[in-house]
Every structure is written in C-alpha cells, then in structure tokens.
Amino acid sequence: MHGKVFGLIYTGESSMQLRDLTYSRSVAAVPFAGRYRCIDFVLSSLVNTGIYNVGIIAQKNYHSLMDHLGSGKEWELHRKKDGLFILPPFVTRENTGIYKGTLDALRSVLGYIRRSSQRYVIMTGSHTVFNTTFHAMIEQHIETCADITIMYNDVPVGHNDDQFDELRMDLREDGRVQDLQLNPYRPTSCHSSCDVFMMEKNLLEYLVEEGVSHGYTDFIRDVLLRKVNTLKLYGWRYDGYIGCLSSIDSYFTHNMNCLKQEVRRDLFNTEHPIYTKVKDEVPARYLPGAKVTNSLVADGCVIEGEVDSCILFRGVRIAKGTRVSNCLVLQGCDIQENCELDHVIFDKGCTVHSGRRLAGYDSFPVIIRKGSSI
Amino acid sequence: MIKKKVVAMLLAGGQGSRLSVLTNRMAKPAVPFGGRYRIIDFPLSNCVNSDIDTVGVLTQYEPMELNAYIGTGQAWDLDRNSGGVFVLPPYVSGSHGEWYSGTANAIYQNIAFIDRYDPEYVLILSGDHIYKMDYSKMLHEHEVNHADATIAVRSVPMEEAHRFGIMNTDAEGNIIEFEEKPQHPKSNKASMGIYIFTWPVLRQYLMADASDAASENDFGKNIIPKMLKAGCRMHAYEFNDYWKDVGTVQSLWEANMDLLSDPPLLDLSSEVDHNKEWRIYSKSPIMPPHYVGKNASITNALVTEGCEVLGTVCHSILFAGCTIEEGAMVTDCVLMPGAHVKKDAVIHKSIIGENCVIGEGAVVGDDRQEVDGEYDTHLTGDITLIASGTEIADHCRVPVGMIVNTGIYSRNKEA
C-alpha cells in the first residue's frame, strides 16, 4: 500500500513568530528536543510508513535544512529508485523564485509531482512535531473514497495556541468535513488540522492547475475553503502528542513537555523511531560535582555544574558553580563558571562568560541569537 | 580495480574466551565499549582517520553480530565505490576449505583479496585493543626506513615485560631480536600486534609458511622470527599514547573506567590528538537524548542516548537505552545497551550485559560473606559479570566475582 504513496513537505511557512530562532533557518530546521530538527518528525513518520519518495519544497533560508538532510541517508532516503528530492525555488519566465503562497509553491514543483509514479500523495507542513505512521490514515482514505483526508487532533474549543494559519474543521458523525474555518476568531469546533493532507496525485495536479488559472495563491485559503461542499473531505483523528511550533512560547512549551515521560513515550515511540542526522558525539560526561535533575541531555555534553528542568542539546558545556534552570541550551553552547540562568533559550554556539546572570519568565523566555557571546 | 597504497587487514576472529560470557554470542571485537562503541570501532575509525579506506575484517567465531554491525560500513564512511570494508570469513575453494588456523594463515587465505588492490603495503591490526593511533605516521616511518616490516611497540613496565612479545632493538630502532614472553626480558618494548609489511615481501613469507607443516601459521611465532632470521629490514615504531588490550574481564572494566578519570586517560572527545579531529565513529542507536529524573543523581559518569536515569549513578558507564529506576544505586559499573535496573536494586563493580533485567531490590556484587556460591572467580576477580539477556529475580543477591549466565537467576533470595 505504502508503495502507492509519495510525500511532499512544504517548508516555507511563515516563521516571524519564532523570532531569532528562524533568523538564519527555516522552521523545518529549528532544533527540537535535544538532538532533532523539526522536520525529522514528519519525515520519519513518512519513512516509517514505508514512503520512500519524498519531495521537500524549500523556500527561504534553506541552507541549514539542506545541510541537515544531506543525501537523506539517515532516513534511508538515499535510493536508486525515488528517495529524497529537495526542491528549491528557481527563477523562470513565470516564476519569481519567491512563492506567494503554498499553491504557488505547488505549481512550481508540478514537474516533480507529475514525475512521481505513486497514485497518492501525503502533503504536509514542517512546523508540527508528532510521531505516527500513516497506515491507518491511508486505509481510511481508501475506504471512505474521500477526495482529501485531513489529519486533525482535538483541542479545547476556545483554545487558540497562537498558531498562524490554524484550520478548524466541523465534522459530521461519519468524519466528513462540513465546514472549514481558517483562523476563526471564535472557534466553534475542537478539531484542529495537523497540516497533513492525503489525496490522489491527479486531484492535486488538477486543483493546482485550476487554482492557478484563477489567480489563486494559497492552497488552504483559496482552494480548500472554496471546495468544502464540492469535494469529499474527511478528517482522520490523531490522538498522540502533537506540538505546533508556531511561536517562541509554543516552542518553549513543547520542548519542555519532552521532560514528561508520557510525551517522550509518544514522540519517541521505539516502534517507529525518529531519525536525524548522526553526529558521532561521545556520550555525555558527568564530572564529579555535577547535579542534574529533571532534564534531557544529549550526547557530547560535559556537565560540572547544576542543571534543573533543562534540555541540553548536543555538545553543551556547563562549568562548575553554574546553575541553569528551565533553559533550552542548543548545540555547542559553552556556559562558563558561576553563571545563574533561568528561562533562557540559547540558540546554537552561544558563549556565556563567567558570572553572568540572565532570567526570563515561563510565559516570556529570553532568547539569545545563534553564536552570541554574553 | 583501483590500486591502493595500503590495505588494512583486521584480525577479528578471536574467540575471546577470557571475556567469559561476554563473548557467548559475539566475537570479541563486537563487545560494547565506552558507552556507545564496540571494540572494533577503534581500529576502524583509526583507519578512516588515517586515510586508509580499504579494510578486510577477518572473522570466524560467532560472526553474526559483527557482520550485522559492520553492514555496508556506512557508520565509518567505509561504504566506498573502490575499497571500503569487507567481512572475510573462511571459505571453501574447490573441494578444499579450512578454518583460519592462525593469524598468518588468515591473511594467507585472503591473498587474493589483497592482490585485487595491488597494494604496496599491508597493515595488520587486531580487534581487541582500545587506542587512538595515526597509522599514516607509522606508514611514513616504514617508507622512510625502506623497511620490510614495521612493528608498533610500546614501553611497558619491566616487571610486566615477560607477559608480552618483546622486541630488542638497536640504537636506530631496528629490531635485532624478538622474544615471545621471555623469562628474562632484555628490553621493555612490547609488540602491540600492529604490523606494517611491504606486501610483496610478506606475500613470499606467507606462501613459504603455508607449505611448512611444522608452522603454527602465526605472525608472532613464525613469520616475524623467520623474517628476522633471513635478515629482513624490520623496524620498531614507538607509540606511547593510551593503548589497552581489553582481552580480559578485568582489563575491559579498567579500560572503561579509564574514560572516567579526571582528566580521562583516554579522551574520546579530544579533537587535538595528532593535530586533527580524531573522532571514533560508531553505529547510532537512533534514540532520543537521555532523561535524568527529578530525584536522580549522576556523578562521574558517561551516559548516552535513550537512557532514563531516575536513581543514583556514580562512577559508571551507561550504554544506550539503559533504565535506572528510582532508589536504585549503580556504582563502578558498566551497563551495556538496554540494561534495566529496577527499583531499589544495588549494583556494585559489575559488568551488566545487554538487555539484562536486575529485579527490584536485588543486589549485584554483594560482598557479604554469608552469600552462598560455589563459583570460579579466576576470570573476573572482584568484578561481577552478568551475561546478556539475564534476569536477576527481585531481591536476589549475586555475590562478588560471580559470573551469571543467561537465564533467570533466583538464588539467595532475601525475605
């Protein structure tokens, strides 16, 4: 069955809300949970479903993303037949290189879509983290004879996780979509789209061609919303943990949630692991005097100080006499002696010199740009 | 076939009987080491870091685990179009076939493999040593000296010299005499089991050795003495950085603990050795970062991916996917991948094999006298050894130095 599906991941989401974290990278390449990038989750979910033809639509700041994905070998996507296709923007007579929206991006990769030999496509965004396989979704899609199946999860009705482009859906009892609302001011439905759509490739081609000919630019706003009644849209409910990294606040919260065992069990389900670029770091080293509690620690860390309720990414150093709590410390940061740090997000490669103090608040973590020296 | 300057041949066929139950189901080079490595990662990574891209791994004993681990060689960047890593088991040719009868015989049986690359030199390595070494420097010396053979040696304490193969050299480092485990050693330069031979010369000696019925087909016992006798140019290459033979339970445990000393005797993260990055590569376990619990305490330890530590860990090494439940206490231990230590269990100075389960309140490495057991500690000393896949039942006590073989252990149960 999975041999009939290819994957298409759009990585051009607006990332303004993530502030300095997306200064030099796309949302897809934002580091998550100690050793991953955001895109690892959806990419691994596709691969663990047995989907081995995956196109990744790159838009801006995609250097970091390409560096991370490489040939795709960590996801077993370095293949003779199909494999990983990174689809960067390009300039032609009808292209400006900058996509006006998802539909515009899809139009520019129509060549790849046409060439793919699979009958179905699973199209996703890149700013949500979850770990699943799509077998059940594919099965439901075929059984219900749906035109498009949309993966969703249930959230509190009034809740709006300051997401950009949040799509809420009203469902009939049989799962068919009755109404779609984009960024509803007062949501009436608890079903929130996870930005994963399954359909036949032919339908996608048709919708893109038809939409473009009407001058539309966005797939959800201009195509889906208008076609709620003409297309058979179905919802497929996902009950596992899902994190939408759409703002600094949600980035901080979803990272910190990984300190909870039930979240880890779900996101890092050993039956379908999350793959990522392998760095061959040495095991984390706890020196005499280290005091670490309630934290996630990646390989390559060297810890001599105190760490509480933190996520330490790969190769972080915490020196003697330093106390770090409620922080996200990204890869390769060097925290020197006698610092006091609380509720801070350090992007990659920051240096904090001896004796510095920094504190944010749980609803407003301080964020330090990549490579800063304090 | 593209010609290679040097081909490395890694002798990985050893049974490793002194590692006791650790080598029940795997060859010695596949034994886990240092938190996320296996012994063979060290010579393989040294090869890659020394720009040697063609490696033959000679296996014979329990090769399954090793074969599966090496795979295509991708973990070491040894998946190459030309060259790469090859697992070379003994094989039958025509009506004739035999096991590798000795180290030299293993190379002799693979002459055809080496000839494919038409190399100038062959590097012989063994799969039971932990060290970081730049073979290209040794090769350079071999070339400068126009040697027929270069043997890596290290200075050992004189009183221990009788345990090694000792090279007696002249002032220029030329080997003039070789003594295997001499009663009265004349020098303290011990052979490390790392040889570089000029291939056409070695090839000749291997052919001659194969037709010598009296020979044990061993490099140390036969080939090297014969070459010396015939007046070959043989040179000693001194190497005095960290190097450890991990052929015994005791030395395997010690080598692991050497990673924990301050500063570590062997620094795996060091990138300045040999003035270039010297990373030891290994196959990734593909697990999330490890979690340290609210009441956990970890000091002086190496911990890697996939672990969940809720109890106390001191002066120990945890491999991928180990679980230490609340109240459990682990000191001076090596816990191999997937070991699970349940609530309130206490483990002291032990090597715990892969996927072992230590039951609630169990004690491993119990040094109290009254704990029974007729068992043999000549292999382990005061280190307690639990074989892979063993389950220690709740509240049971395993006395110091005991070897527990696979199965369920339910002796010495405490009320």
Side-chain angles (χ1 to χ4, degrees):
Chain A
M1 177 199 292
H2 43 253
K4 292 186 188 160
V5 183
F6 72 102
L8 194 55
I9 304 176
Y10 176 71
T11 70
E13 292 111 321
S14 149
S15 56
M16 298 300 287
Q17 304 267 1
L18 282 167
R19 307 207 319 249
D20 284 359
L21 282 174
T22 45
Y23 181 71
S24 61
R25 52 172 92 89
S26 53
V27 192
V30 166
F32 186 78
R35 66 185 295 247
Y36 302 96
R37 305 283 185 143
C38 199
I39 198 171
D40 293 342
F41 291 83
V42 64
L43 194 53
S44 301
S45 294
L46 288 169
V47 169
N48 287 332
T49 308
I51 296 170
Y52 285 104
N53 177 12
V54 181
I56 294 181
I57 305 175
Q59 165 66 292
K60 53 203 166 177
N61 300 344
Y62 56 83
H63 179 257
S64 161
L65 182 65
M66 289 187 65
D67 179 43
H68 178 69
L69 296 171
S71 64
K73 71 174 175 187
E74 267 92 3
W75 297 266
E76 291 180 350
L77 285 172
H78 58 314
R79 314 222 132 221
K80 286 192 170 167
K81 182 175 179 289
D82 294 335
L84 180 73
F85 296 88
I86 297 178
L87 310 163
F90 53 94
V91 182
T92 61
R93 236 177 327 171
E94 60 269 24
N95 262 347
T96 56
I98 296 164
Y99 303 136
K100 294 188 215 67
T102 43
L103 194 68
D104 198 20
L106 287 168
R107 180 189 55 83
S108 83
V109 301
L110 267 178
Y112 163 74
I113 296 173
R114 289 206 177 97
R115 255 200 330 272
S116 294
S117 60
Q118 291 79 4
R119 179 170 171 188
Y120 300 99
V121 58
I122 289 182
M123 202 166 75
T124 80
S126 66
H127 68 293
T128 38
V129 293
F130 56 81
N131 182 7
T132 185
T133 60
F134 298 112
H135 292 114
M137 183 182 188
I138 296 169
E139 212 168 286
Q140 185 198 305
H141 180 83
I142 293 168
E143 254 169 37
T144 56
C145 300
D147 289 320
I148 302 180
T149 302
I150 306 172
M151 171 171 154
Y152 70 91
N153 68 320
D154 285 345
V155 295
V157 174
H159 172 82
N160 191 338
D161 190 12
D162 65 8
Q163 287 183 19
F164 50 85
D165 288 355
E166 194 194 14
L167 186 66
R168 292 281 180 119
M169 14 204 283
D170 283 335
L171 297 181
R172 280 193 339 210
E173 239 167 53
D174 64 350
R176 177 142 181 205
V177 176
Q178 258 177 332
D179 192 22
L180 285 174
Q181 300 133 24
L182 188 62
N183 298 323
Y185 192 64
R186 282 181 216 282
T188 54
S189 156
C190 62
H191 311 311
S192 174
S193 152
C194 304
D195 219 9
V196 177
F197 306 92
M198 176 171 175
M199 68 197 95
E200 279 200 31
K201 171 185 115 151
N202 289 340
L203 177 64
L204 178 64
E205 281 176 55
Y206 166 76
L207 291 176
V208 172
E209 284 161 6
E210 197 229 20
V212 168
S213 68
H214 283 87
Y216 301 152
T217 52
D218 192 84
F219 183 74
I220 292 174
R221 193 188 62 219
D222 301 334
V223 177
L224 277 193
L225 291 190
R226 284 168 209 253
K227 296 215 182 273
V228 174
N229 296 317
T230 44
L231 288 177
K232 260 175 95 177
L233 307 183
Y234 274 81
W236 177 68
R237 194 171 79 203
Y238 174 65
D239 290 320
Y241 185 82
I242 183 154
C244 182
L245 310 186
S246 50
S247 65
I248 286 292
D249 199 25
S250 56
Y251 178 73
F252 189 73
T253 311
H254 290 302
N255 264 293
M256 285 306 181
N257 279 347
C258 294
L259 296 179
K260 297 178 189 154
Q261 194 184 51
E262 64 275 16
V263 173
R264 281 201 308 279
R265 290 263 153 89
D266 219 43
L267 274 185
F268 306 117
N269 189 330
T270 46
E271 279 167 39
H272 31 88
I274 302 296
Y275 309 99
T276 189
K277 187 174 175 180
V278 172
K279 293 263 166 73
D280 287 281
E281 291 278 4
V282 299
R285 186 172 165 77
Y286 292 79
L287 293 165
K291 193 164 175 252
V292 181
T293 46
N294 190 33
S295 294
L296 213 52
V297 181
D299 276 4
C301 290
V302 180
I303 306 171
E304 216 176 346
E306 268 183 59
V307 177
D308 178 51
S309 304
C310 287
I311 295 178
L312 307 186
F313 287 64
R314 293 189 269 212
V316 167
R317 303 180 81 89
I318 308 284
K320 221 193 293 189
T322 282
R323 211 189 128 69
V324 190
S325 34
N326 310 302
C327 288
L328 302 178
V329 190
L330 269 56
Q331 195 185 321
C333 286
D334 182 13
I335 316 285
Q336 300 178 357
E337 280 127 50
N338 303 316
C339 295
E340 186 103 22
L341 308 164
D342 186 20
H343 286 101
V344 186
I345 301 172
F346 292 98
D347 203 338
K348 280 171 77 173
C350 289
T351 306
V352 181
H353 292 279
S354 296
R356 303 292 191 267
R357 277 149 191 265
L358 270 173
Y361 198 71
D362 61 1
S363 58
F364 195 88
V366 177
I367 171 157
I368 308 294
R369 187 182 285 186
K370 188 173 171 180
S372 302
S373 177
I374 296 170
Chain B
M1 196 59 64
I2 294 173
K3 182 179 164 68
K4 298 281 177 186
K5 184 174 171 191
V6 54
V7 168
M9 298 296 273
L10 209 162
L11 301 162
Q15 184 176 351
S17 51
R18 286 173 304 156
L19 283 177
S20 179
V21 294
L22 289 173
T23 49
N24 266 356
R25 294 223 192 89
M26 59 175 94
K28 183 157 57 170
V31 169
F33 177 84
R36 62 171 295 163
Y37 309 96
R38 291 177 188 255
I39 296 170
I40 197 171
D41 287 331
F42 288 80
L44 281 182
S45 301
N46 285 338
C47 280
V48 176
N49 290 332
S50 306
D51 296 326
I52 296 170
D53 62 9
T54 309
V55 185
V57 179
L58 302 145
T59 60
Q60 138 163 315
Y61 172 80
E62 284 287 346
M64 194 269 277
E65 189 92 11
L66 204 55
N67 282 344
Y69 186 67
I70 292 172
T72 61
Q74 190 210 295
W76 306 269
D77 268 348
L78 282 173
D79 48 338
R80 309 276 174 124
N81 281 337
S82 151
V85 61
F86 297 87
V87 176
L88 304 169
Y91 56 90
V92 174
S93 159
S95 62
H96 180 72
E98 57 182 83
W99 296 107
Y100 295 147
S101 59
T103 49
N105 179 258
I107 306 296
Y108 168 78
Q109 290 201 36
N110 287 287
I111 284 179
F113 168 78
I114 300 172
D115 278 346
R116 260 157 58 111
Y117 297 99
D118 186 21
E120 286 160 59
Y121 309 104
V122 170
L123 168 66
I124 311 288
L125 302 168
S126 65
D128 43 12
H129 301 146
I130 302 294
Y131 62 112
K132 298 208 275 191
M133 179 173 175
D134 190 344
Y135 303 134
S136 65
K137 285 186 181 166
M138 181 172 167
L139 183 63
H140 178 74
E141 249 187 55
H142 181 84
E143 286 182 284
V144 168
N145 290 317
H146 301 288
D148 296 316
T150 299
I151 299 172
V153 297
R154 58 187 289 103
S155 305
V156 295
M158 208 62 192
E159 60 273 18
E160 284 179 28
H162 66 275
R163 291 173 35 218
F164 295 90
I166 294 296
M167 303 288 164
N168 300 321
T169 57
D170 65 13
E172 277 87 53
N174 295 311
I175 299 168
I176 47 176
E177 192 185 7
F178 170 74
E179 293 177 293
E180 183 72 32
K181 297 184 180 152
Q183 288 277 309
H184 304 286
K186 293 176 205 143
S187 111
N188 65 342
K189 287 192 178 120
S191 165
M192 295 162 62
I194 301 168
Y195 316 111
I196 292 177
F197 292 100
T198 299
W199 176 236
V201 178
L202 177 64
R203 201 177 185 285
Q204 249 177 16
Y205 278 88
L206 288 176
M207 302 298 262
D209 181 67
S211 51
D212 176 359
S215 171
E216 289 177 53
N217 310 119
D218 186 87
F219 275 105
K221 288 184 192 134
N222 308 104
I223 301 286
I224 290 165
K226 274 183 203 159
M227 288 179 79
L228 263 176
K229 216 166 147 194
C232 287
R233 283 183 64 87
M234 302 184 78
H235 192 77
Y237 173 78
E238 283 208 43
F239 178 83
N240 286 317
D241 289 347
Y242 186 90
W243 176 88
K244 192 134 191 160
D245 183 323
V246 287
T248 65
V249 174
Q250 187 75 29
S251 64
L252 179 69
W253 182 83
E254 277 169 15
N256 272 290
M257 293 303 139
D258 285 346
L259 301 171
L260 295 174
S261 58
D262 192 22
L265 288 170
L266 174 65
D267 189 356
L268 294 174
S269 63
S270 157
E271 302 198 345
V272 291
D273 281 33
H274 316 93
N275 294 319
K276 52 178 167 175
E277 197 176 325
W278 209 268
R279 217 175 265 261
I280 303 300
Y281 300 99
S282 63
K283 210 166 197 168
S284 167
I286 314 184
M287 287 187 179
H290 65 270
Y291 175 73
V292 188
K294 290 189 171 110
N295 302 313
S297 162
I298 309 178
T299 48
N300 203 6
L302 292 184
V303 184
T304 188
E305 289 158 3
C307 292
E308 294 251 350
V309 182
L310 308 178
T312 303
V313 175
C314 181
H315 197 249
S316 295
I317 292 183
L318 306 192
F319 282 74
C322 287
T323 306
I324 314 291
E325 292 188 10
E326 295 230 14
M329 174 97 125
V330 175
T331 48
D332 302 338
C333 286
V334 177
L335 268 60
M336 290 183 178
H340 187 145
V341 182
K342 292 200 173 162
K343 237 174 99 209
D344 302 322
V346 177
I347 312 180
H348 180 68
K349 201 165 181 184
S350 304
I351 298 177
I352 310 291
E354 289 176 56
N355 301 316
C356 284
V357 178
I358 312 296
E360 235 177 86
V363 182
V364 178
D366 195 330
D367 60 358
R368 283 172 296 184
Q369 289 298 318
E370 69 267 30
V371 175
D372 100 71
E374 274 172 35
Y375 53 89
D376 180 5
T377 59
H378 88 277
L379 281 176
T380 54
D382 61 346
I383 296 163
T384 312
L385 186 57
I386 313 286
S388 293
T390 304
E391 188 181 334
I392 307 292
D394 293 356
H395 305 289
C396 285
R397 287 151 55 183
V398 182
V400 167
M402 185 170 180
I403 298 169
V404 180
N405 218 329
T406 313
I408 296 175
Y409 174 95
S410 53
R411 287 159 70 181
N412 297 310
K413 196 175 175 89
E414 268 184 350

